[in-house]
Amino acid sequence: MIKILNNLRGTITPRLDLPFGKLSIEPGAALAMENDTILAIAPPETLRQQYPGAETIDGQNCWAMPGFVDPHTHPVFYKTREEEFEMRIAGKSYEEIAAAGGGIRNSVRALRQASFDELVALAYRRMRIFTEYGTTAIEAKSGYGLSLEDELKSLRVIKKLSALLPLTVVPTFLGAHEVPDEYRDRRDKYVDLLVEEMIPRVAEEKLAVFCDVFCEKNVFTVAQSERILLAARDHGLVPKLHADELHPTGGAELAAKVRAISADHLLKVSDRGIAAMKDAGVAPVLLPGTAFFLAKTEYAPARKMLAAGLPVALATDFNPGSSMIQNMQLILTLAALQMKMTPEEVIAGATLNAARAIALEKELGSLEAGKKADVILLDIPGYKYLPYHYGVNHVKMVIRHGQVVHRAGE
Ligand SMILES: [Zn+2]
């Protein structure tokens, strides 16, 4: 089945053959798709001649762009945590809230009480919002179970949702998100459990592609993180890392050492860490929504990483504690204003580079023949308008794998 998306203002996309931060803009172009794949981007009359009898989809005078790829999310949780939001307003820091029994361990206690079906229903409603805001692929982490049984439950929820939702969902095992209550006075025993039981089981059941660790002061040390990620690698899971977020621990250097696909957060990354990531080909994933939601004045040094030639990616970090947002469009505005990324850089960072950070750049992240037809239509006069007019949803239509899966107002 061939479909032509016509009556577009044109197409906006980064491309694999362009340097990072350069977009290809084709005013007046139309886009042909066959089944789930992009066939061609060309003037509408050319496509009509080439594919007579193709079905047409009205582009409503919008710009077409690749669907957003969100390479860092934590969507499987039970309770929301608006009471901690209120504590932050009153001046408590994220770490003070965690020390008072809030934070990740609060979510863990709640998730352990929830059934598989309850979690599927809740996460389904939350994850539909990704689609409404133009996201067509996400990475989704476990990490609020922190026991073999509850981590497997979370990963099975992710697997179930990837079949139910019009969204590519890449699963990540994050059993090393925090040390659970019952292991607080014997933390290395929890690392033993991760390495000896949880990772082998997750790999055996093929429930995750990546293995992530929250490498942070008072969470997992660099040495513990290395042990966990090397065990993951031995079982065929690709390492990822929450690195250098609250304190400079050397997380970026560790990401390079274990050949992680990405290092995420990086507010406190060192110059040595940036150089090591560049040498090892580690993608930086920056999460300005988290810094914003934690009311920080400091953001990750994106310009330094861009100057070093790193392909900076952006993500929401959607989670109930530190970043309750599914909307990548607002993330682009925050990245532009707070990290001084250009409109071109934020668009590339939320599409092609985000796909790179989850190893899907050959399939997703740009409008190119042969790639998956994940296309969003935006009611904007041009790409610079996208991060500029903020806090509204510019998405008029979402096409995923060649199928219209969302229309604004429906
Ligand atoms: Zn995270």
Side-chain angles (χ1 to χ4, degrees):
M1 163 74 84
I2 296 179
K3 295 175 190 163
I4 297 173
L5 185 55
N6 67 3
N7 189 27
L8 293 172
R9 264 177 197 255
T11 57
I12 301 165
T13 184
R15 284 197 327 227
L16 279 167
D17 61 345
L18 291 177
F20 173 60
K22 294 270 181 285
L23 299 178
S24 167
I25 315 284
E26 304 274 355
L31 187 146
M33 306 174 274
E34 181 167 29
N35 302 323
D36 64 352
T37 305
I38 297 173
L39 271 182
I41 294 160
E45 47 283 7
T46 310
L47 293 180
R48 268 199 298 275
Q49 274 171 13
Q50 241 172 333
Y51 307 108
E55 188 185 308
T56 57
I57 300 174
D58 181 4
Q60 301 170 52
N61 201 30
C62 289
W63 284 95
M65 224 186 80
F68 294 115
V69 177
D70 189 343
H72 186 136
T73 82
H74 306 250
V76 183
F77 55 90
Y78 188 62
K79 276 194 328 179
T80 52
R81 302 199 331 235
E82 53 271 39
E83 68 290 346
E84 291 178 18
F85 178 76
E86 199 174 1
M87 286 165 81
R88 276 210 305 285
I89 298 168
K92 293 261 185 294
S93 74
Y94 181 79
E95 288 161 297
E96 286 169 328
I97 292 166
I104 293 166
R105 288 190 285 150
N106 188 355
S107 286
V108 171
R109 288 187 285 269
L111 182 134
R112 286 177 174 182
Q113 307 299 318
S115 72
F116 173 84
D117 289 336
E118 284 177 303
L119 289 172
V120 168
L122 279 170
Y124 181 88
R125 273 169 37 209
R126 293 175 187 139
M127 287 164 75
R128 275 295 303 177
I129 299 173
F130 284 114
T131 306
E132 289 163 22
Y133 283 88
T135 297
T136 48
I138 66 167
E139 180 258 18
K141 303 173 198 292
S142 67
Y144 295 117
L146 309 190
S147 68
L148 176 63
E149 184 194 336
D150 292 301
E151 284 296 305
L152 292 174
K153 178 172 73 180
S154 303
L155 289 168
R156 289 177 187 136
V157 169
I158 291 170
K159 187 174 177 185
K160 175 88 181 171
L161 289 165
S162 75
L164 292 176
L165 288 160
L167 200 58
T168 300
V169 182
V170 184
T172 295
F173 171 59
L174 179 57
H177 198 189
E178 180 48 291
V179 177
D181 290 348
E182 63 277 20
Y183 283 94
R184 300 303 282 181
D185 53 0
R186 45 187 184 127
R187 304 170 77 93
D188 275 322
K189 286 277 176 243
Y190 185 62
V191 178
D192 292 345
L193 176 71
L194 282 164
V195 166
E196 289 162 16
E197 288 185 44
M198 293 165 85
I199 288 170
R201 187 69 186 278
V202 166
E204 187 190 301
E205 292 199 27
K206 298 194 178 359
L207 284 169
V209 173
F210 302 114
C211 178
D212 196 345
V213 176
F214 191 11
C215 178
E216 184 57 68
K217 192 177 162 190
N218 302 325
V219 193
F220 292 95
T221 65
V222 169
Q224 288 171 329
S225 303
E226 181 173 354
R227 193 179 154 217
I228 295 162
L229 292 174
L230 290 178
R233 219 170 60 178
D234 283 346
H235 284 88
L237 300 175
V238 178
K240 252 184 184 295
L241 206 55
H242 283 64
D244 299 318
E245 180 187 2
L246 306 171
H247 300 91
T249 58
E253 290 89 332
L254 175 63
K257 190 173 171 192
V258 300
R259 306 216 173 280
I261 182 107
S262 73
D264 301 29
H265 286 290
L266 300 169
L267 273 72
K268 304 280 188 183
V269 68
S270 69
D271 290 348
R272 263 188 41 203
I274 290 175
M277 285 172 65
K278 172 72 181 158
D279 288 344
V282 179
V285 176
L286 306 186
L287 310 164
T290 314
F292 173 76
F293 202 65
L294 295 177
K296 286 176 180 287
T297 50
E298 185 190 11
Y299 285 73
R303 288 254 58 95
K304 253 190 188 181
M305 290 182 239
L306 291 164
L310 284 170
V312 172
L314 299 170
T316 58
D317 194 16
F318 173 58
N319 78 78
S322 62
S323 193
M324 189 66 180
I325 182 173
Q326 295 96 332
N327 175 0
M328 283 294 277
Q329 298 167 63
L330 186 53
I331 298 300
L332 302 194
T333 302
L334 293 174
L337 285 173
Q338 305 292 352
M339 304 197 299
K340 311 299 173 207
M341 292 174 70
T342 65
E344 292 95 318
E345 287 165 348
V346 297
I347 289 170
T351 52
L352 187 56
N353 274 12
R356 278 195 174 104
I358 51 173
L360 285 178
E361 73 275 16
K362 294 207 171 72
E363 280 179 52
L364 306 178
S366 58
L367 303 180
E368 293 177 83
K371 281 194 152 181
K372 292 288 182 218
D374 286 7
V375 187
I376 58 176
L377 299 187
L378 301 170
D379 183 16
I380 51 176
Y383 74 88
K384 292 182 186 181
Y385 193 87
L386 179 59
Y388 157 72
H389 186 178
Y390 76 108
V392 296
N393 189 358
H394 296 290
V395 171
K396 285 288 162 249
M397 192 191 293
V398 179
I399 295 169
R400 187 208 170 227
H401 285 23
Q403 305 287 329
V404 177
V405 294
H406 175 71
R407 289 175 194 269
E410 284 179 15

